[in-house]
Amino acid sequence: MFKVPEHQVAGHQAKNGVLGPLIDDSGNFYKPLQNDERGSKEVAFYTSLSSDPRVPDNIRRYFPIFRGTKVINASDGSGLHPHLVLEDVVSNYSNPSVMDIKIGSRTWDPHASEAYIEKCLKKDRESSSLPLGFRISGLKLVTSKDASIWQPSKKFLQNLAANDTKLVLSRFVSSNVASNDTTHPDCSFGSKVFGGPSGILEQLLELKKWFEVQTIYHFYSCSVLMVYERESLMNGSSSGAVVKLVDFAHVVDAEGVIDHNFLGGLCSLIKFISDVLEAPAENCIYNNNCSEDEH
């Protein structure tokens, strides 16, 4: 039995007749293969990643497990369609909080068409991608045991300035998100989600060490997915915080050159999360383009 993922926060979602990912009850995530070269590129990347001895084992854990491809009925009702079969990275969580962050100041690969480059440039210029080297593409924060949710609109997220980005990252690990005080997040979960020996910051730093030396791939328009279980923290258990890299339709051969575009964006994200840990956002205001309460 296939169903629509509840915790997908970015990308095409399988709703209202749109072609999007599906999941099953066995921990599998089915991502529709794009009909153009992007689909074949993503299959080639996963195949390469799973077999290339140059990729260290400690780095493989940051990628969803690849389980091949399968033809299943598409979510849009168009009939049979090939899908990537991947690990559903949130299947072991009851009510995960998820953030999708697209990495890199440039999101188009060197082989892209002029039309696609123009489309990406517009998004990069109108978002934080160019000034910050990353942009928050989507997030869903389950704020309490009754599963109340904070999920800002895509329009809101794409207009975030630096202070606003820091504030959103702070609110992602705060206990007072549901209160009326939207400008002073308490970051009460920050040390257990972002910090600590197994927290998100340490995981990002481990990835950074690899990106400082790896010359196998260049990752364009790839995202860092950050996941944790808020309810577990409130019950005194581990947050289960994990980092995964997702979306590889635009990965190209590095040709022996370091991926400075991805590395630069990753370093910028690390700096922002480090700042949140060291000094929680204070006296910030959201951008004036749209209301924080938009969903």
Side-chain angles (χ1 to χ4, degrees):
M1 178 67 70
F2 300 109
K3 51 192 176 183
V4 176
E6 292 182 20
H7 307 293
Q8 183 186 351
V9 297
H12 299 291
Q13 299 184 18
K15 297 177 181 178
N16 303 318
V18 174
L19 180 63
L22 298 168
I23 58 172
D24 64 18
D25 291 328
S26 299
N28 295 314
F29 183 92
Y30 298 83
K31 181 178 180 179
L33 277 180
Q34 298 179 79
N35 292 322
D36 55 22
E37 64 176 10
R38 289 175 292 179
S40 57
K41 269 189 174 182
E42 193 153 26
V43 172
F45 168 76
Y46 273 111
T47 303
S48 168
L49 180 77
S50 60
S51 60
D52 196 319
R54 295 174 293 175
V55 180
D57 288 340
N58 68 307
I59 296 300
R60 291 185 198 279
R61 71 187 181 102
Y62 293 110
F63 295 86
I65 298 168
F66 176 52
R67 294 169 177 159
T69 61
K70 188 172 183 178
V71 176
I72 63 171
N73 283 313
S75 63
D76 62 356
S78 60
L80 294 174
H81 188 91
H83 288 66
L84 279 170
V85 186
L86 305 169
E87 166 197 15
D88 179 6
V89 299
V90 301
S91 63
N92 293 325
Y93 297 83
S94 299
N95 290 301
S97 292
V98 183
M99 183 180 291
D100 183 298
I101 303 174
K102 193 170 291 292
I103 303 294
S105 57
R106 166 181 160 180
T107 57
W108 45 274
D109 71 72
H111 310 300
S113 67
E114 288 188 17
Y116 188 78
I117 291 173
E118 187 176 337
K119 175 184 174 182
C120 290
L121 274 173
K122 185 174 187 297
K123 284 186 179 180
D124 295 346
R125 288 168 177 161
E126 292 176 353
S127 70
S128 67
S129 288
L130 273 179
L132 303 185
F134 68 89
R135 68 173 180 259
I136 299 174
S137 298
L139 73 89
K140 179 179 181 180
L141 177 61
V142 181
T143 60
S144 64
K145 290 183 179 179
D146 61 4
S148 60
I149 292 169
W150 178 53
Q151 189 166 9
S153 69
K154 290 182 180 179
K155 181 182 178 183
F156 169 73
L157 292 172
Q158 74 183 16
N159 290 290
L160 296 179
N163 281 346
D164 301 323
T165 298
K166 182 180 176 184
L167 185 56
V168 169
L169 287 167
S170 299
R171 294 196 76 198
F172 188 63
V173 291
S174 293
S175 66
N176 62 338
V177 175
S179 74
N180 292 325
D181 185 1
T182 61
T183 61
H184 294 82
D186 59 25
C187 295
S188 61
F189 301 129
S191 61
K192 293 183 178 178
V193 177
F194 287 157
S198 59
I200 282 172
L201 182 58
E202 280 301 311
Q203 294 178 57
L204 292 175
L205 288 170
E206 186 173 25
L207 274 172
K208 174 177 171 282
K209 287 181 180 179
W210 184 59
F211 273 93
E212 287 173 337
V213 297
Q214 80 88 11
T215 56
I216 312 168
Y217 310 108
H218 279 189
F219 294 85
Y220 294 101
S221 199
C222 171
S223 289
V224 163
L225 204 65
M226 304 192 306
V227 184
Y228 79 96
E229 185 82 77
R230 190 183 184 91
E231 196 168 328
S232 294
L233 278 176
M234 296 174 74
N235 293 332
S237 302
S238 166
S239 69
V242 298
V243 167
K244 295 286 183 179
L245 300 185
V246 296
D247 297 336
F248 307 111
H250 301 278
V251 174
V252 299
D253 191 325
E255 298 179 353
V257 178
I258 287 174
D259 187 355
H260 292 288
N261 178 63
F262 191 96
L263 177 60
L266 185 60
C267 288
S268 179
L269 176 60
I270 287 170
K271 176 66 165 62
F272 270 74
I273 289 178
S274 298
D275 287 348
V276 168
L277 277 171
E278 292 170 8
E282 293 179 357
N283 302 318
C284 297
I285 57 172
Y286 278 97
N287 62 72
N288 296 320
N289 295 321
C290 47
S291 169
E292 180 272 331
D293 291 324
E294 288 187 48
H295 294 298

